[in-house]
Each structure stands twice: as C-alpha cells, then as structure tokens.
Amino acid sequence: MHSKFFHIRFGFDLRQRRNRDRLTWFGAVPALLLLMAVGQAMIALPSRFRNGHSRNQQQVVSGMNHLIDTRWYTVAELFPVVPYAPERENALVNSLSGDIYASMPTIGLQIAGNSLRTVSNRIINTDLFLNVADEPLLGSATGLSTESDLIVRGQPSVSFASGWLQGYGVSGRFGSDGNASSSGYGIGGLAYGLDLGRDETGVFGIALGNSFTSISNDQSDTARVNSLQVGIYALKRNEISYVFGVLNYGHNLFDVNRTVGVTPTRFVVGSSYSGDQFGSYGEAGLNVESRNVRMQPFVGMQYVSLSNSQASESGLGGLSIAANNFSSVQAHLGGRLIAHRLTDSRGRRWTPYLSGRWAWELLNEQASTFATLQTTSASWTIAGNQPARNFGLIGPGLTVELSRGISLFGAYEFQWGSNFRAQTGTGGLLITY
C-alpha cells in the first residue's frame, strides 16, 4: 500500500515538475526571441545607413552601405557619432555628399556671365552706343561747311583711344531643388581695359579683370573663388542698327571647406583646385528713333564652357572629386529704352536708360560631380544646384558725360528665375584721349 502510494505520489510530482518546466520554457522562449530581436535591432541600427529621402541622399546611402557590406565596417566604426535619430542620419548623409562641388558649375556660370555682362556694360555705356547721330554737325551756323566737318557726338571721324575702369558687385541665392542644399553667393569684381581702335563707327579693345566670389550653403560648407579674366570686345554700328561681341577667358582658383559629421563631433575638410572658363556673348539690335527716346530691340547669344580639375580632401570624411566639365548656351531676347539729348545748365550730358531681357537655356546640362570617400571604395554621383533654365534680367542705367572725353556710368540689374534670385550693381569711368 505504501509502495503504491509512493509510486503514485512520485509520478504525480514528476508530471507536475515536467509541466512547470514546460511552462517555464514556453515563457522563456518568447522572452528570449524578443531579447534577440531587440539586440539585433540595436546592433543593426548603427551598422547600416537607412534609405535616403532625396536622390543625392540615396546615392550616398548606396555608396556607404556598399562599403559597409564589403569591408565589414559599421557606421559607428566609420564615424564616432552614431545617428540613431533619422534626422541626425540625414544630416550626416548630407554632410558626406559634397554637393557644394557639384554646385560649382552653376556658380562658375554666374562668374562667367557677370564677366561678359561687365564688358558689355562698358560698350553700352559709351557715347558711340547711346547717342547715335547726336550733334551731327559742327561748323558754321548754317550747317556743314565741308564733308570733313561731319562728326558724331562732337568728336572728329578719326581714330582715337579710350581707357576705362569698372567695378561691380553681385549678391545671389539658389534655392534647394530637393537635392542639393540651398546656397548663397556674393561676387566683387573689377574690370579695366583699353580701346585699341575707335572711331565714329565702332570700337575694338582688350579687357582685363579680377573677381572674388564667396559661397556658403545650408550644410555650413563654404568656398572661395578667385577668378582672373582676359578678353576682347568689338562694336560696329550705324544709325539704324548695331552689333557687338565679347570673348572672354578666365582662370579660376577654388578653395573649399566642408563640415562633415553631426554635433557634437564635426570635422572640417578642405581642398584647393583650379578651373578654366571660356565665354562669349554676341548681340545685334536696331535703333528705333523718336524725338527724345531711342528704342533698341535686340537678340543675343551667350556661350560658356567650364572645365574644373580634380580635387582631393584629407581627413575623416574627406572626398576625392573627379574633374568635370559643364557647358551652357543661352538665347536672349530683350530691349532698351534710352532717353538722350538731356543736357544740364553746365553742359553735362545725361543719358538714362532701362534695359530688360528674357533668357533661355538651350543645352539643359545637369550640374553634377563624381565623389569617392578617401581611401575607400565608397563612391557616388551628386547633383548640384541647377542654374535657372529660363530667367529674366531688368534694370536701369545712367551715363553722365562730365566733360568732353570723361564719362561716368552706372547700372543696376535684377535677375530672377526658378529657385534663383540675384542683384548686380556696377559703376565705372571712361576716359577718351
């Protein structure tokens, strides 16, 4: 009896213990699986980049994840700050992209365009251009005594030369197109030249110049561009029409500083490299006369070719930037309204005018560059801020002839387009001798 009770009791206890152990395992397995999942998530979170939002971010994420997959890196090993929050990871990805290099062709196009327009302004603000057929006679009170007495603007029809000096300043901003970050820039420049040949029908000369450009974007990246320019220009006109052209070459020196990483760990990397620009602008128009006003409808074409050398940064997050080329062809259509024959009591001639035009980009090239993370295989193609495809320019100008052979001139121009605004002010001195 006792033995039977013992076996029953022992069997019952054994079954109860097995049930308890089974329940324990049933509770432990989900807990263990949950712990493994959390642990895996905690390990995986800093081991790879998530998908980027913009095209540029996706390019960087793809390149960095390829590096992590092939080299067994983690984000934490590559960068001390692990971006757990999505916005911090986006900030890190953006800082890695190097989009300021991809935006340099857009800035270079502005540098070249302003250089061409500066020389064009010198041509426009000359007596040969603004005051066609003014004061046609000089001699007896009855008019022309001999054919040799015919003059234009009171100057004899023989060759003479002019020297000129012109300064200009530009402030502009490109908004973000959803890829590259917004960027602002400022340009200060000085141009000067000499008319090698000049008479009552036109002018031919050489121009030199220097400009300094400062750029910054929303990623705290900065760049400076020192540009040296040389060019030639020519104007040919008669009483009913005109044509002029400008050819320009510029050598650009770039200094770029980028901020890589996210707060509190950030690094500054930089590079210096060079580039060349070739530009030309040609314009043809008509002189439509009324009593005191001249209208000048015109068409123009601008061509700019940019070539930048490769750049190499050093330090954590430094990039190697491939050499790149960029070209632009613009068609311009516009007009000027010139008020002339305005003379004050001291004999000074005042010539105000208003100019406006609309421009179309014909090539539609993408501003971009190819970047490689230093000493690694991670690489990506980055798009920069695009130049405005269609844009307008409008603004007033004024020339004052202080005395025979000495003139001052100035102009203001507002430029606008898609995600783009810029303002330009210019002034200069022209001396004829």
Side-chain angles (χ1 to χ4, degrees), residues 20 22 76 129 168 180 186 206 216 223 245 287 323 351 377 381 414 427:
R20 284 200 304 267
R22 191 173 300 160
F129 189 87
Y168 62 96
I206 185 171
S216 62
N287 293 310
T351 310
S377 60
T381 299
F414 177 70

Side-chain angles (χ1 to χ4, degrees), residues 139-384:
S140 65
T142 59
L144 184 64
S145 57
T146 66
E147 186 175 352
S148 62
D149 288 331
L150 178 65
I151 71 164
V152 177
R153 292 286 295 110
Q155 295 163 347
S157 56
V158 296
S159 296
F160 51 92
S162 296
W164 56 275
L165 177 70
Q166 185 175 354
Y168 62 96
V170 184
S171 175
R173 184 168 184 82
F174 287 92
S176 174
D177 60 357
N179 262 325
S181 56
S182 300
S183 58
Y185 68 95
I187 304 175
L190 182 66
Y192 44 93
L194 180 67
D195 296 346
L196 302 178
R198 185 171 186 256
D199 61 19
E200 73 277 8
T201 66
V203 62
F204 170 79
I206 185 171
L208 302 172
N210 176 257
S211 68
F212 182 81
T213 305
S214 178
I215 307 137
S216 62
N217 67 11
D218 291 347
Q219 301 300 325
S220 300
D221 302 333
T222 61
R224 289 174 173 81
V225 187
N226 187 16
S227 182
L228 306 172
Q229 297 119 17
V230 60
I232 57 175
Y233 57 89
L235 163 69
K236 191 70 174 178
R237 67 107 182 106
N238 54 43
E239 293 188 6
I240 63 172
S241 64
Y242 71 88
V243 60
F244 72 77
V246 182
L247 295 176
N248 174 277
Y249 164 76
H251 184 67
N252 301 324
L253 302 174
F254 300 87
D255 288 301
V256 179
N257 289 298
R258 293 193 309 114
T259 302
V260 181
V262 291
T263 305
T265 306
R266 309 182 81 183
F267 310 90
V268 176
V269 296
S271 70
S272 296
Y273 63 104
S274 62
D276 298 294
Q277 68 183 41
F278 296 90
S280 63
Y281 176 75
E283 182 177 304
L286 299 174
N287 293 310
V288 181
E289 294 281 349
S290 65
R291 181 174 180 181
N292 293 313
V293 175
R294 175 180 300 110
M295 291 177 289
Q296 288 182 331
F298 65 82
V299 294
M301 291 290 293
Q302 176 181 290
Y303 169 74
V304 172
S305 176
L306 304 172
S307 177
N308 293 332
S309 67
Q310 65 181 13
S312 181
E313 299 176 333
S314 59
L316 185 63
L319 299 174
S320 293
I321 305 297
N324 58 82
N325 301 302
F326 182 82
S327 296
S328 167
V329 175
Q330 297 174 358
H332 293 222
L333 178 64
R336 294 183 193 88
L337 189 63
I338 304 170
H340 58 135
R341 300 188 178 95
L342 302 177
T343 305
D344 63 20
S345 59
R346 295 186 178 182
R348 293 173 297 201
R349 184 184 295 274
W350 298 71
T351 310
Y353 62 90
L354 179 65
S355 178
R357 72 181 71 189
W358 190 256
W360 294 266
E361 175 61 49
L362 303 181
L363 290 187
N364 200 33
E365 283 196 13
Q366 170 73 49
S368 63
T369 192
F370 187 77
T372 302
L373 190 66
Q374 288 279 17
T375 69
T376 75
S377 60
S379 59
W380 46 79
T381 299
I382 295 298

Side-chain angles (χ1 to χ4, degrees), residues 112-132:
N114 277 283
S115 178
L116 291 170
R117 287 197 297 275
T118 296
V119 181
S120 298
N121 280 334
R122 176 267 176 270
I123 296 173
I124 293 167
N125 286 281
T126 184
D127 50 356
L128 292 175
F129 189 87
L130 293 175
N131 297 292
V132 177

